[in-house]
Amino acid sequence: QTCALPIWSLRDVVLAYVPGLSALQAPSEQSVAMRGVYGEIQQQILVLVDGHVVNARSTGAAPLDVGLTLDNVDRIEVERGPASTWGAGALTATIHVHTRPTTTTMAPDVRVSLGSMGQRRLSFVSSGTAAGSGTYLAWGAVAASSGQQLPSDTLPRYAQTPGSGSVTADRMAAPASHDVGVRYERGPLAVFATHRTGHSSERSEEHTSELQS
């Protein structure tokens, strides 16, 4: 069902389908709030991929950005409310992303997406039989956004001297976000490996001021 919506990230999916979630624009990232509970970074929701915790060990943060690809997803389960089933970190909700089964044969699917504000994305996903009578699921995605530059005027309460400037909206910091991984299964043996780097859309401002006599 996500194909019929303008989905760019996991954040877009949960906002479209999960009651009680609302969009949040923090100074450093675009996030979500469950029942109005939020912080500077997304630390209140526990995010899992095939049972593996995505939240950082040091900060507990797990931004719902394009660092998690959706091309390899079979289903997404959301448990609202505090839950300790999967460990600490589920203060307001738990989002469990289940990837596609490795037993389903799928020819390599490569996609290129372009959007407004300089959005661009390249992804691939493939699954099937591997060497040694095992099955695999492999995926990769790279995403970036240049943003849109808009004119902005500083107000006296924000600047000592009024001036003109610009705001860049929906830009992603370099380097590009990526999610690359593989899951291999052979009988009781299961191997899961992935590497992710995600950047949320952000806003940056540049202003120039002139002294007035």
Side-chain angles (χ1 to χ4, degrees), residues 109-127:
D109 182 11
V110 180
R111 300 184 182 185
V112 178
S113 304
L114 299 174
S116 59
M117 301 187 186
Q119 291 181 346
R120 50 205 183 274
R121 187 170 181 274
L122 173 64
S123 66
F124 82 91
V125 61
S126 177
S127 62

Side-chain angles (χ1 to χ4, degrees), residues 66-203:
V66 293
L68 282 169
T69 183
L70 301 176
D71 297 284
N72 62 344
V73 172
D74 180 57
R75 68 186 188 279
I76 300 173
E77 299 175 352
V78 179
E79 183 177 354
R80 293 179 290 173
S84 59
T85 305
W86 297 100
L91 176 64
T92 59
T94 301
I95 299 176
H96 197 167
V97 178
H98 297 269
T99 59
R100 299 178 181 181
T102 61
T103 53
T104 302
T105 302
M106 179 180 181
D109 182 11
V110 180
R111 300 184 182 185
V112 178
S113 304
L114 299 174
S116 59
M117 301 187 186
Q119 291 181 346
R120 50 205 183 274
R121 187 170 181 274
L122 173 64
S123 66
F124 82 91
V125 61
S126 177
S127 62
T129 303
S133 302
T135 56
Y136 77 95
L137 171 68
W139 66 88
V142 179
S145 176
S146 304
Q148 181 181 14
Q149 195 170 49
L150 303 170
S152 173
D153 293 326
T154 59
L155 299 177
R157 65 175 180 269
Y158 295 128
Q160 247 183 345
T161 55
S164 60
S166 63
V167 174
T168 303
D170 293 322
R171 181 183 70 89
M172 290 186 187
S177 299
H178 70 269
D179 181 3
V180 180
V182 62
R183 201 172 87 236
Y184 175 83
E185 297 177 355
R186 180 183 179 186
L189 174 66
V191 178
F192 180 91
T194 184
H195 189 277
R196 302 185 183 95
T197 298
H199 298 290
S200 297
S201 299
E202 59 181 22
R203 288 181 171 87

